[in-house]
Amino acid sequence: MLKSFKTLPFLVLMCLFAFPVTATEKTIAITKTPFADSFREKLAEVVREAGISGTSHFFATRYSEDDKRFYLLWREGRAIWILDAASDTQYWEQLLLPSGGSRIDLDKDVVETREDVGSSTYLVDRPWVNSVIAEAVLEGVLITVHNP
Amino acid sequence: MGHFTSTTDGNAALTKVRIAAGTGKRLRLTGVKARIASDISVTSSMAAIVAAKLLSAPYDGPKGVWTVDLEAKAEGKAKISASHKNTPAASIDVEVFKPEKISLDANSTEAGMLQRLLLAEAASPSKTQYKSSDVETSMEWMIVVVENRRKDKNPGRFMARDANKDGWDKRDIIRAKGQFHGFENYPVLAEDVRKRIESYLKIGNDYEDTRHDIYAAFLKRAIKISKASLIKDPSPDGLFGWRTEGSGSPGPNYVKFKDLAGQTFYTLKKPKK
């Protein structure tokens, strides 16, 4: 027991160096911001425009004060958006008018490897997609939208 | 004494406003604590140019805020004056101008093709935290990428196809498989790209849309850049690609050059000697 106590400070120091706490940890959920309502309304519009009835599940990754980029996964719509909580949060046009590669179609825009991405400006590789999905589902927030 | 303001900023007094002919504009008349609307008179010095109508219900009665709708009829200048029980309360100069219609070059032209590519790929005004100058530069860099791929010894490595007897042109580069979302069958665009560009044009030509100015500037920027000559390549190694920031990396032959206006631009790895 005494031996364990002596090694404890050493272990704590090791952990501090191995796992430094950063000032930019992603803790902010879009659902807990002043933009939550406008965001939900725009998601409802997205679902209506797509004509997908029933309940849609959106998973949004968290972001930080320093980097307000976050990812939004739409399970039923099979899409991922790359969004920015610092930009237009009144109209959320990024959702309905996504520029360039900021909306990824999971059925058409995913290739197996980074080599397969090659010179594409929009295709994404599967390991990247999987990491975004994992972050969104496991650490993000869920927003459900019902379209009758 | 009252004053006119916009509907979005009730604190800033307006002394003049510009309205496109054939459109309307809503203002607030502030600081006129009238009991009823008929105690207020709102008139135009030139009704044939712009008409003004005071809404009967106050916007905020206790604070003396009313709503005035202007209707711009013909080009010219006029003054809108408000008075309360015959005492002058506020006035504003109005200039009615001929609306400008923004349209893209024909999709059969190189400029028209580049305009559509830039509008599809560049950060749109929805990303309002970006500086418009940065967006303009990013558009220039996109033109550089297309041109560098075209001039390359082997554009086939950018999936270019259909080279004609004179070599590759920008159309071959832009229509290359898997390179620019929605452009593989250009001039036929993917539906989502076509709809988005149509939306930009609609907003940029709708003077009654509060987003009009920023979208009009975005459209004009793309049109201007599409016709620019001799855009300087910012990279000594040449720009050869871009991707939306945060969308993962391109293939392993690409080296990041710089992030700009929501895009990450890339050069190519130098071949080993």
Side-chain angles (χ1 to χ4, degrees):
Chain A
M1 182 73 85
L2 187 63
K3 196 174 178 183
S4 300
F5 281 137
K6 279 184 178 176
T7 59
L8 187 57
F10 175 74
L11 288 172
V12 169
L13 276 174
M14 282 292 294
C15 286
L16 284 174
F17 280 107
F19 307 107
V21 174
T22 66
T24 57
E25 285 186 26
K26 296 193 238 181
T27 58
I28 304 172
I30 193 68
T31 50
K32 302 292 184 191
T33 68
F35 324 123
D37 287 345
S38 60
F39 190 67
R40 277 199 184 87
E41 284 169 15
K42 189 55 79 174
L43 290 183
E45 190 177 338
V46 166
V47 173
R48 280 196 303 273
E49 289 248 331
I52 294 180
S53 57
T55 301
S56 275
H57 299 78
F58 292 88
F59 299 86
T61 62
R62 297 170 191 270
Y63 56 92
S64 68
E65 276 299 331
D66 296 337
D67 182 0
K68 294 199 163 105
R69 180 169 61 226
F70 67 103
Y71 299 92
L72 180 73
L73 165 68
W74 180 14
R75 191 176 78 180
E76 289 75 13
R78 297 196 51 75
I80 290 175
W81 282 267
I82 304 170
L83 301 173
D84 191 331
S87 83
D88 173 26
T89 51
Q90 179 183 5
Y91 298 103
W92 281 105
E93 286 175 0
Q94 310 163 59
L95 285 165
L96 278 176
L97 298 175
S99 53
S102 59
R103 183 186 184 279
I104 297 147
D105 184 321
L106 293 176
D107 291 325
K108 296 178 186 174
D109 299 340
V110 183
V111 292
E112 291 307 307
T113 67
R114 192 178 157 210
E115 284 76 11
D116 295 331
V117 171
S119 53
S120 173
T121 60
Y122 71 96
L123 295 173
V124 293
D125 60 87
R126 194 165 300 283
W128 180 87
V129 167
N130 289 343
S131 71
V132 170
I133 291 174
E135 183 182 344
V137 173
L138 298 177
E139 299 171 19
V141 289
L142 169 65
I143 306 159
T144 55
V145 173
H146 187 70
N147 189 28
Chain B
M1 187 72 174
H3 52 268
F4 284 97
T5 71
S6 70
T7 57
T8 53
D9 183 355
N11 296 317
L14 296 175
T15 57
K16 57 183 176 181
V17 69
R18 297 182 76 238
I19 314 174
T23 69
K25 193 167 188 70
R26 174 162 284 187
L27 301 176
R28 302 281 186 226
L29 174 62
T30 300
V32 180
K33 291 187 180 180
R35 214 167 46 82
I36 49 176
S38 56
D39 285 346
I40 303 172
S41 170
V42 178
T43 57
S44 169
S45 64
M46 296 285 283
I49 291 173
V50 58
K53 180 183 172 185
L54 176 77
L55 270 59
S56 58
Y59 179 73
D60 187 332
K63 291 183 181 177
V65 183
W66 300 81
T67 300
V68 175
D69 282 341
L70 303 182
E71 183 190 349
K73 296 181 175 181
E75 292 169 62
K77 294 182 179 180
K79 186 185 280 292
I80 303 297
S81 301
S83 60
H84 177 216
K85 292 185 177 176
N86 297 318
T87 301
S91 67
I92 186 168
D93 292 323
V94 178
E95 179 186 348
V96 177
F97 62 93
K98 183 180 176 183
E100 175 190 13
K101 182 167 168 55
I102 302 172
S103 57
L104 304 180
D105 288 34
N107 62 9
S108 56
T109 65
E110 181 176 285
M113 177 182 66
L114 293 174
Q115 288 157 20
R116 288 161 176 81
L117 179 71
L118 295 177
L119 292 172
E121 290 292 319
S124 72
S126 65
K127 291 185 176 284
T128 52
Q129 83 277 22
Y130 297 125
K131 292 187 294 184
S132 57
S133 57
D134 282 352
V135 172
E136 184 160 327
T137 303
S138 77
M139 286 183 174
E140 290 177 340
W141 289 8
M142 289 176 182
I143 299 291
V144 168
V145 167
V146 170
E147 178 60 7
N148 283 346
R149 289 188 178 193
R150 186 196 70 77
K151 290 186 310 189
D152 193 73
K153 289 175 187 174
N154 179 20
R157 62 179 174 152
F158 309 115
M159 309 303 285
R161 53 198 167 113
D162 304 331
N164 58 43
K165 62 179 175 57
D166 298 319
W168 310 86
D169 59 25
K170 289 191 178 98
R171 193 166 181 271
D172 301 322
I173 299 300
I174 288 171
R175 282 163 46 94
K177 184 176 167 59
Q179 301 304 295
F180 307 101
H181 172 68
F183 280 79
E184 283 186 25
N185 296 310
Y186 187 85
V188 176
L189 292 172
E191 190 185 353
D192 62 308
V193 174
R194 179 184 58 77
K195 280 186 174 177
R196 185 151 43 89
I197 293 173
E198 284 175 2
S199 295
Y200 296 159
L201 283 164
K202 182 171 182 294
I203 298 168
N205 281 298
D206 183 355
Y207 283 87
E208 297 192 45
D209 193 309
T210 55
R211 301 164 294 176
H212 164 268
D213 288 357
I214 199 167
Y215 274 90
F218 179 60
L219 291 165
K220 287 180 185 177
R221 201 166 287 126
I223 293 168
K224 182 182 98 169
I225 300 297
S226 73
K227 298 176 182 178
S229 56
L230 297 174
I231 297 175
K232 189 180 173 207
D233 194 324
S235 165
D237 300 318
L239 289 185
F240 282 91
W242 75 77
R243 292 181 62 79
T244 299
E245 271 190 72
S247 69
S249 301
N253 290 331
Y254 287 79
V255 178
K256 177 179 170 179
F257 172 68
K258 190 176 179 182
D259 291 329
L260 181 70
Q263 308 289 342
T264 303
F265 287 86
Y266 293 86
T267 64
L268 282 168
K269 269 184 188 172
K270 290 180 183 174
K272 290 181 182 175
K273 293 182 182 176

